Amino acid sequence: KQEVTQIPAALSVPEGENLVLNCSFTDSAIYNLQWFRQDPGKGLTSLLLIQSSQREQTSGRLNASLDKSSGRSTLYIAASQPGDSATYLCAVRHTGTASKLTFGTGTRLQVTL
Amino acid sequence: GAVVSQHPSRVICKSGTSVKIECRSLDFQATTMFWYRQFPKKSLMLMATSNEGSKATYEQGVEKDKFLINHASLTLSTLTVTSAHPEDSSFYICSASGGLANQPQHFGDGTRLSIL
């Protein structure tokens, strides 16, 4: 059974800092890995999607990497801003007919002024 | 980008009421839709996977008679919580996918269900 873990569970940084969020998964048989952002009481916003054959994806100040063999992904946020405060979730999409997503436990990020 | 609309965003109702939640893909055909439940400060738990025109596949421990799912068209799936009780209060989120495994899932804004 796939298990996805995110470290740290919570993080508070001052504005302007660069930061790294970690995601690890136990079963490397995945199609892709997706990073999401969730604001309190809201749905999920997709940030980046990395296919299993890719090593990284970039969008603006965000960079996500994937090391499938070791079961790890990182989300790098450059020059953090208060507006980046949210919960960040990673999710892996399984191989197989169901193609279900398994979500990580999430990292609650607070960027302070 | 792809948009998924979920309605209503919030429901407050009495115990014993049945509540229907709609999930629509606005600009693409969603071969597969997923329904999740999220408890406070917890991650998303997959409840069921629905494919257009066929019966939903429920995850272990999810009561199919309690949570009725219909996916009658490529743009609409509904989740009906039947005879809701306070323990059914939660945040329910749907997602939609075009069906190919290498495509991202797109999520609705969620429905906050509160049963009194």
Side-chain angles (χ1 to χ4, degrees):
Chain A
K1 179 186 174 185
Q2 178 76 271
E3 292 185 4
V4 184
T5 306
Q6 290 184 245
I7 294 173
L11 181 64
S12 181
V13 300
E15 181 180 14
E17 271 203 10
N18 303 324
L19 58 101
V20 175
L21 307 181
N22 298 288
C23 172
S24 61
F25 47 96
T26 55
D27 187 347
S28 61
I30 64 170
Y31 275 127
N32 52 49
L33 183 146
Q34 208 166 346
W35 281 94
F36 297 90
R37 168 188 173 134
Q38 185 177 30
D39 292 291
K42 300 291 185 183
L44 274 65
T45 300
S46 180
L47 298 173
L48 289 164
L49 171 71
I50 311 178
Q51 304 296 345
S52 61
S53 59
Q54 296 175 323
R55 298 285 292 185
E56 66 177 311
Q57 283 286 329
T58 298
S59 176
R61 294 183 294 108
L62 305 179
N63 176 277
S65 69
L66 174 64
D67 184 343
K68 198 176 80 161
S69 60
S70 67
R72 293 179 184 176
S73 176
T74 61
L75 179 66
Y76 175 83
I77 302 177
S80 59
Q81 302 171 357
D84 295 330
S85 299
T87 295
Y88 290 81
L89 296 162
C90 68
V92 296
R93 190 159 191 178
H94 305 216
T95 56
T97 56
S99 293
K100 299 183 289 189
L101 285 182
T102 298
F103 280 85
T105 46
T107 295
R108 282 197 309 281
L109 172 66
Q110 183 170 11
V111 181
T112 58
L113 291 170
Chain B
V3 177
V4 173
S5 173
Q6 189 171 339
H7 178 80
S9 58
R10 172 133 198 167
V11 180
I12 302 173
C13 57
K14 294 180 180 179
S15 184
T17 306
S18 291
V19 178
K20 180 184 282 189
I21 304 169
E22 293 187 348
C23 181
R24 294 181 183 273
S25 58
L26 299 184
D27 55 0
F28 69 103
Q29 292 186 325
T31 307
T32 307
M33 287 186 171
F34 303 85
W35 287 95
Y36 297 85
R37 182 172 181 174
Q38 187 177 33
F39 293 100
K41 297 188 179 180
K42 298 291 185 182
S43 192
L44 278 71
M45 180 191 76
L46 179 66
M47 298 174 64
T49 303
S50 74
N51 293 294
E52 184 265 338
S54 62
K55 289 184 179 180
T57 302
Y58 290 81
E59 296 299 300
Q60 192 172 10
V62 178
E63 300 176 57
K64 58 182 67 177
D65 294 330
K66 176 70 162 178
F67 300 100
L68 300 179
I69 291 171
N70 183 276
H71 192 163
S73 77
L74 285 171
T75 59
L76 174 64
S77 176
T78 60
L79 167 67
T80 301
V81 183
T82 61
S83 187
H85 292 287
E87 59 266 29
D88 299 323
S89 299
S90 193
F91 192 57
Y92 293 87
I93 308 177
C94 71
S95 72
S97 171
L100 296 178
N102 62 354
Q103 294 175 325
Q105 284 191 21
H106 302 282
F107 285 75
D109 284 338
T111 297
R112 172 76 55 197
L113 176 61
S114 300
I115 308 298
L116 305 177

